[in-house]
Amino acid sequence: MIDTAQLLLAEYEQIKQEQRARIGFRDNLVYATLGVMAAVIGSTLARGGHLEMLLLLPPLSVVLGWTYLANDEKISAVGRYIREELSPRLRELTSAQAEVFGWESAHRRDAWRRSRKRFQLAVDLLTFCGAPLAALTVYWIFGPTPWPLLVISLAETAMVIGLAVQVVRYAELGS
């Protein structure tokens, strides 16, 4: 028969496995986004400057950025669950004097955490929002702007700004 502490340890292993998988997937989304950017810019240049091709970058960046953000939030949620729910329950069951799963809290007390979080926010905004806004700006300045493409570009701007708001909202700068 499995006791409660063994069950909680099994749960810990399962959610850590999910967290590791999500971290790998999330980190690869940055490389995928850079690849998409290179492909769109390369295609634009290869087609003799058809700048309307740049309008592909914002929706692709928003989809990849939202997927990145959703995975990042789940990664944080797993850590929060371990710190706030699982660790205290296991500590209570085992009457442990020391903190259970101490790394889940210890790495958050690092003196440089805030500056790293701010830098990560800047990188996320630049990668998923700055590049598509730059593409839109280049399109508006140098590209053909018939009204349907202009409307599309404005809608894309709203999407990118919406993503930027969410990226800032989920940045956890205060913790």
Side-chain angles (χ1 to χ4, degrees):
M1 180 172 199
I2 297 176
D3 69 8
T4 306
Q6 290 172 319
L7 189 60
L8 291 175
L9 287 172
E11 180 184 12
Y12 172 77
E13 285 302 320
Q14 283 298 115
I15 61 176
K16 286 304 284 185
Q17 182 178 345
E18 177 186 343
Q19 188 182 48
R20 283 188 292 273
R22 284 185 180 275
I23 288 169
F25 182 71
R26 177 203 60 193
D27 292 351
N28 284 328
L29 285 167
V30 173
Y31 302 122
T33 302
L34 295 174
V36 163
M37 288 177 194
V40 168
I41 293 168
S43 295
T44 301
L45 295 174
R47 292 179 157 253
H50 282 272
L51 294 178
E52 63 274 8
M53 297 281 294
L54 292 175
L55 295 179
L56 295 171
L57 190 56
L60 294 170
S61 294
V62 167
V63 168
L64 291 166
W66 180 254
T67 306
Y68 174 92
L69 186 62
N71 272 280
D72 190 59
E73 195 284 323
K74 293 299 181 208
I75 291 163
S76 296
V78 166
R80 202 168 33 254
Y81 175 76
I82 291 170
R83 285 189 311 279
E84 296 173 6
E85 301 290 330
L86 198 57
S87 181
R89 287 180 10 214
L90 191 57
R91 185 173 181 194
E92 183 180 311
L93 281 172
T94 61
S95 301
Q97 299 301 314
E99 185 176 5
V100 179
F101 307 129
W103 173 249
E104 299 292 338
S105 297
H107 77 277
R108 298 176 62 80
R109 293 188 294 264
D110 178 1
W112 298 103
R113 178 173 167 76
R114 279 196 165 172
S115 64
R116 273 196 321 275
K117 293 296 278 183
R118 286 188 184 112
F119 187 72
Q120 185 64 52
L121 173 60
V123 168
D124 292 347
L125 286 171
L126 181 63
T127 303
F128 298 110
C129 303
L133 289 175
L136 286 164
T137 302
V138 168
Y139 170 73
W140 292 327
I141 293 171
F142 301 109
T145 54
W147 74 266
L149 292 180
L150 189 58
V151 169
I152 289 170
S153 72
L154 293 174
E156 290 178 345
T157 302
M159 289 176 11
V160 173
I161 291 170
L163 176 63
V165 167
Q166 294 303 312
V167 169
V168 170
R169 183 173 164 224
Y170 284 99
E172 294 185 6
L173 294 177
S175 57

